Amino acid sequence: MMMRLLIVDDDSDHRLILRNMFEANGYGCDEAEDGGEALSKLRADKVDIVLTDLHMPGMNGLELINQMGRLASLQHTPAILMSSQSREDMPYEAHKTGACAVISKPYDLHELLEEVSRAIGQAEPDELTAMA
């Protein structure tokens, strides 16, 4: 069964890079450009994990994860927060909100793939499929 991932980021180029990498590794992907659009998509379709940026206009990544935790249908959907912010308390704040992991930008794509696999309980990938 193909795992479904929702990529939430206001940077369309970043979403495309992530989508290409995850699809090349067997994931089904959907995209949202902010937290509000992500919540609408999450209410309509089931995903296995959410990968969200922290800083976005409107609803940011922490607010999205907080809202997911308040909805019975989404409170068990893992979410990973991506952030270029280097505050020492960011991992604590993100985990307190409900994120299962915080990934610092810039990140290694292979490490990101491993973190997603770990979060949804899959075996870690042996190797990253090269992107064309």
Side-chain angles (χ1 to χ4, degrees):
M1 182 173 123
M2 181 183 294
M3 291 290 163
R4 304 256 339 127
L5 173 81
L6 178 62
I7 301 164
V8 188
D9 197 317
D10 58 327
D11 183 334
S12 60
D13 291 336
H14 191 234
R15 288 194 316 266
L16 181 62
I17 290 167
L18 291 174
R19 180 182 199 119
N20 287 341
M21 191 266 298
F22 281 103
E23 285 181 345
N25 283 278
Y27 288 84
C29 296
D30 197 1
E31 301 175 23
E33 65 181 54
D34 61 40
E37 181 183 0
L39 267 182
S40 293
K41 288 186 175 202
L42 288 166
R43 286 183 177 121
D45 292 316
K46 167 107 172 72
V47 299
D48 296 291
I49 189 165
V50 174
L51 188 59
T52 183
D53 189 28
L54 172 61
H55 296 291
M56 298 177 289
M59 184 186 301
N60 71 32
L62 284 175
E63 293 166 336
L64 169 61
I65 294 168
N66 186 40
Q67 289 298 315
M68 289 172 60
R70 293 174 183 214
L71 297 170
S73 62
L74 299 175
Q75 59 188 199
H76 298 295
T77 302
I80 295 176
L81 184 70
M82 302 177 293
S83 176
S84 57
Q85 196 168 1
S86 59
R87 288 186 4 219
E88 276 187 31
D89 64 339
M90 180 53 65
Y92 171 76
E93 187 176 344
H95 288 288
K96 187 174 81 173
T97 303
C100 64
V102 177
I103 303 292
S104 295
K105 291 179 179 178
Y107 47 78
D108 176 89
L109 289 175
H110 190 262
E111 289 176 16
L112 180 58
L113 184 63
E114 287 177 351
E115 193 63 51
V116 167
S117 296
R118 190 174 310 118
I120 57 178
Q122 291 185 325
E124 292 185 14
D126 292 328
E127 65 181 69
L128 181 67
T129 301
M131 293 187 302

